[in-house]
Amino acid sequence: QVQFVESGGGLVQPGGSLRLSCTTTKNFETIGVLGWYRQVPGKERRWVARINAAESTRYSDSVKGRFTISKDNAKNTLFLQMNSLEPEDTAVYYCNEIPSVAGFWGQGTQVTVSS
């Protein structure tokens, strides 16, 4: 069973940085688009950053200029560098393909931005 496993979350003060990682047993080179999503209680999960096989990236307006998505195909690992974090970035962060595959969701990693 393929699943993504996220790590790297935590508590950080506003203006701080975190780097999230995501690994899977699935070969990244077989995946067209990978993405980072986030979800807050009561709201639907939404993608915030995406990267395709050619390593072209896109970001949601809410994180553009602050977050950077990257990947290491040799290690089947996806990264999200988050800088200038804001309280509004508080959420559980997940990775998955885009479009997402229901059975691939992991447990996510909690990011809390608070002073």
Side-chain angles (χ1 to χ4, degrees), residues 37-54:
Y37 300 74
R38 68 186 183 187
Q39 187 173 28
V40 297
K43 294 190 176 181
E44 67 178 30
R45 197 173 303 180
R46 295 182 178 270
W47 72 267
V48 294
R50 54 196 289 169
I51 185 168
N52 67 13

Side-chain angles (χ1 to χ4, degrees), residues 5-12 16-23 36 66-73 75 77-85 93 109-113:
V5 179
E6 303 87 355
S7 63
L11 173 63
V12 63
S17 299
L18 282 174
R19 189 189 195 208
L20 306 184
S21 298
C22 167
T23 60
W36 281 98
R66 301 186 297 120
F67 290 10
T68 303
I69 188 172
S70 62
K71 61 177 178 168
D72 183 336
N73 285 341
K75 297 182 178 180
T77 302
L78 184 70
F79 302 100
L80 185 67
Q81 178 66 43
M82 306 187 295
N83 298 329
S84 301
L85 282 162
Y93 285 73
T109 186
Q110 174 71 48
V111 171
T112 303
V113 185

Side-chain angles (χ1 to χ4, degrees), residues 4 7 15 19 34 39 50 64 94 106 108 114:
F4 289 92
S7 63
R19 189 189 195 208
L34 282 160
Q39 187 173 28
R50 54 196 289 169
K64 195 176 298 181
Y94 303 86
S114 175

